[in-house]
Amino acid sequence: MGWGDLGAFGEPSKETPNLDQMASEGMLFLDFYAANPLCSPSRAALLTGRLPVRNGFYTTNAHARNAYTPQDIVGGIPDSELLLPELLKKAGYINKIIGKWHLGHRPQFHPLKHGFDEWFGSPNCHFGPFDNRALPNIPVYRDREMIGRYYEDFKIDLKTGEANLTQIYLQEALDFISKQQASQQPFFLYWAIDATHAPVYASKQFLGTSQRGLYGDAVREIDDSVGKILKHLQKLGISKNTFVFFTSDNGAALISAPKQGGSNGRFLCGKQTTFEGGMREPAIAWWPGHIPAGGVSHQLGSVMDLFTTSLSLAGLQPPGDRQIDGIDLLPAILQGKLIDRPIFYYRGNEMMAVRVGLYKAHYWTWSNSWEEYSKGIDFCPGQNVSGVTTHTQEEHTTLPLLFHLGRDPGEKYPLSFASEEYQQAMERISVIVQQHKATMVPGVPQLNVCDKAVMNWSPPGCEKLGKCLKAPKSDPKKCFWPH
């Protein structure tokens, strides 16, 4: 989902009344970022509070490549990482994930082995349908065992875009909240729906209701679901004890635009890129009675901050034996303070850019290769900025491209290298970057090896359903990441 997809962020068709109301009752974050321009690394960062290059969610197979966890990935979230639900358990929290996990699908990476008590959803995205011979359809789990597969037991009609998944995920959320409230149990719910990821889907009652086509239908259903979750918290009388945060794992995928792509507002490019459109996200914090209504924050925020902020709310300290990149946002949310901190934009194993205050310096630029671009793969459709949206990896480490995001949020006008403004801003930024690089200890890359034998052939529970499939012989290879 993109920065420009909500009415509160300026989407002209104003089709997100519930999220807009959430913003009017809470706080909008206008400068909030994903930790990566792609799904899996960003989710790993959210749950560990650490940059993907630290927690292993990157590849070294080629320079500056986006990599995620498809079915044939061998890696996943390492046991050495401490996830938010594992830490919240210490304060007596019951933890549930609903929807897409995407941190590895082999048994050792299962969410219930990493702090979650309950899971309803899938290890991968809803790609398919597959033939269950060359590629297995992706399983849907309830807790430790699969209960079916996408396109077989959980229908997604690719012709009409109809699927009931968001409604199922909504009911799971409402039931979980009711259960914890009845037992007076503190809870953490990670509601990770994926309806706005192509192939986009919505349930029958929302199909054809948006001016924005099927993608807009999906956004409307998510908006309606968030509204129902917030109303449920109020009805149960626990809204004043519940902190809710809404955001996305990366910018809208313009490669699937215009039919299945969202809006990144005025920002450059989209998903897969380290331009603003790929990583700046819609973000809303809601906590009635605590967060002043109608607040707007210019605090530089990151999904990694949700890790540290959640621990703070639970009265816990972040682990002291590792580098944590997330900060506690509570002073910004509750007291309106601005905390000085940089935002680092990584693509694979490379720091592509950094934001300090209103300045953003690009040390590398790359949208995608000429080879991919010539096949019609375009992450910046209609947005070519000469010397910026490059189709070869361009290094600018000697003289970074510098933008002032207040005056130029679309990253169209690099500051003159000779200007005093450039010199002064880069003096400050260079020190921060040198310090960051000098102390960077990358994790073991988890996204280097692929093997068809590790796909979702026979997940736990397949025997009961008669849905076990025969895996091919193991043949590990280096994963190929073209972007």
Side-chain angles (χ1 to χ4, degrees):
M1 194 181 259
W3 194 92
D5 274 334
L6 308 184
F9 286 83
E11 205 291 311
S13 55
K14 298 282 186 196
E15 293 178 344
T16 54
N18 296 287
L19 285 161
D20 297 349
Q21 186 177 340
M22 182 185 180
S24 72
E25 293 171 1
M27 178 173 278
L28 272 183
F29 278 81
L30 299 179
D31 299 78
F32 195 85
Y33 290 88
N36 194 267
L38 207 65
C39 40
S40 306
S42 205
R43 290 159 191 262
L46 184 154
L47 290 173
T48 61
R50 287 154 54 80
L51 284 163
V53 73
R54 294 194 213 275
N55 64 37
F57 266 67
Y58 71 106
T59 180
T60 53
N61 286 357
H63 177 247
R65 299 304 162 109
N66 288 322
Y68 66 110
T69 53
Q71 279 206 67
D72 58 349
I73 200 80
V74 170
I77 195 70
D79 281 341
S80 55
E81 290 297 320
L82 287 169
L83 273 61
L84 177 58
E86 291 177 75
L87 298 165
L88 289 174
K89 269 185 176 300
K90 295 176 183 175
Y93 278 71
I94 300 293
N95 310 301
K96 179 160 185 163
I97 171 173
I98 296 171
K100 186 167 84 164
W101 166 240
H102 230 207
L103 301 192
H105 59 273
R106 296 170 71 206
Q108 65 266 41
F109 307 127
H110 193 291
L112 269 60
K113 292 193 175 174
H114 292 272
F116 284 102
D117 300 291
E118 297 181 23
W119 180 26
F120 183 90
S122 177
N124 309 86
C125 213
H126 56 281
F127 294 134
F130 301 123
D131 61 6
N132 286 341
R133 288 185 298 279
L135 295 169
N137 276 321
I138 289 159
V140 174
Y141 280 77
R142 178 171 298 285
D143 300 332
R144 296 190 182 279
E145 297 187 343
M146 72 176 281
I147 54 169
R149 293 185 188 265
Y150 283 143
Y151 297 94
E152 298 170 26
D153 314 279
F154 294 86
K155 301 285 189 257
I156 304 168
D157 189 324
L158 293 181
K159 284 184 184 168
T160 63
E162 184 181 346
N164 210 32
L165 290 172
T166 302
Q167 291 302 309
I168 296 169
Y169 292 151
L170 169 62
Q171 196 57 51
E172 284 288 322
L174 300 177
D175 291 348
F176 174 72
I177 292 166
S178 294
K179 191 167 94 182
Q180 304 321 311
Q181 189 270 341
S183 61
Q184 298 291 294
Q185 194 76 39
F187 65 88
F188 166 53
L189 172 60
Y190 176 34
W191 196 64
I193 68 308
D194 66 355
T196 48
H197 189 302
V200 172
Y201 63 80
S203 60
K204 194 169 187 177
Q205 71 205 76
F206 289 94
L207 285 179
T209 64
S210 167
Q211 294 189 47
R212 303 177 65 199
L214 181 56
Y215 182 89
D217 297 341
V219 171
R220 288 199 68 235
E221 184 165 19
I222 290 170
D223 173 77
D224 182 77
S225 300
V226 171
K228 288 189 165 86
I229 289 170
L230 299 184
K231 284 186 183 75
H232 195 56
L233 293 169
Q234 289 168 325
K235 188 177 123 194
L236 294 176
I238 56 171
S239 60
K240 290 187 177 176
N241 297 340
T242 311
F243 177 82
V244 185
F245 203 95
F246 178 90
T247 191
S248 174
D249 60 349
N250 48 247
L254 301 184
I255 187 173
S256 35
K259 288 196 171 176
Q260 300 212 354
S263 165
N264 295 315
R266 292 182 64 189
F267 301 123
L268 186 61
C269 300
K271 179 177 177 172
Q272 303 262 12
T273 77
T274 49
F275 301 111
E276 290 297 284
M279 289 181 63
R280 205 190 291 204
E281 305 306 327
I284 306 168
W286 185 87
W287 188 14
H290 300 270
I291 297 175
V296 174
S297 178
H298 288 284
Q299 171 65 47
L300 296 194
S302 162
V303 292
M304 296 180 289
D305 301 340
L306 300 177
F307 174 89
T308 313
T309 306
S310 299
L311 292 178
S312 178
L313 285 162
L316 299 169
Q317 290 295 319
D321 64 343
R322 63 200 62 208
Q323 179 68 44
I324 300 294
D325 297 292
I327 65 168
D328 182 359
L329 289 175
L330 288 182
I333 293 170
L334 301 179
Q335 295 145 33
K337 289 185 179 173
L338 284 179
I339 303 151
D340 188 24
R341 63 89 70 89
I343 295 288
F344 296 103
Y345 303 70
Y346 270 83
R347 184 160 169 162
N349 56 348
E350 186 62 74
M351 192 203 80
M352 304 286 285
V354 61
R355 178 174 173 183
V356 175
L358 285 167
Y359 292 100
K360 180 178 179 183
H362 289 266
Y363 286 75
W364 287 84
T365 52
W366 191 38
S367 57
N368 64 327
S369 68
W370 281 115
E371 185 190 0
E372 293 285 299
Y373 183 69
S374 66
K375 294 177 190 168
I377 296 167
D378 190 356
F379 302 140
C380 312
Q383 288 189 303
N384 177 49
V385 179
S386 181
V388 179
T389 55
T390 54
H391 291 291
T392 52
Q393 293 185 12
E394 298 289 337
E395 186 172 3
H396 309 278
T397 50
T398 312
L399 273 179
L401 293 182
L402 187 66
F403 297 91
H404 186 288
L405 293 178
R407 301 193 297 263
D408 176 25
E411 297 170 280
K412 291 183 174 67
Y413 310 106
L415 271 64
S416 164
F417 299 134
S419 68
E420 192 179 335
E421 183 182 9
Y422 181 93
Q423 306 292 337
Q424 287 179 351
M426 282 313 305
E427 263 180 48
R428 185 173 174 221
I429 292 169
S430 297
V431 173
I432 290 166
V433 168
Q434 282 165 13
Q435 191 180 8
H436 174 72
K437 292 203 164 183
T439 56
M440 172 53 71
V441 181
V444 176
Q446 296 294 310
L447 308 181
N448 278 352
V449 182
C450 289
D451 184 352
K452 285 199 167 180
V454 306
M455 295 174 109
N456 293 292
W457 301 104
S458 298
C462 68
E463 304 90 348
K464 295 178 191 173
L465 301 171
K467 286 188 176 284
C468 300
L469 303 168
K470 192 171 186 291
K473 194 178 164 195
S474 179
D475 181 21
K477 290 185 171 72
K478 268 189 166 186
C479 305
F480 174 63
W481 305 111
H483 306 313

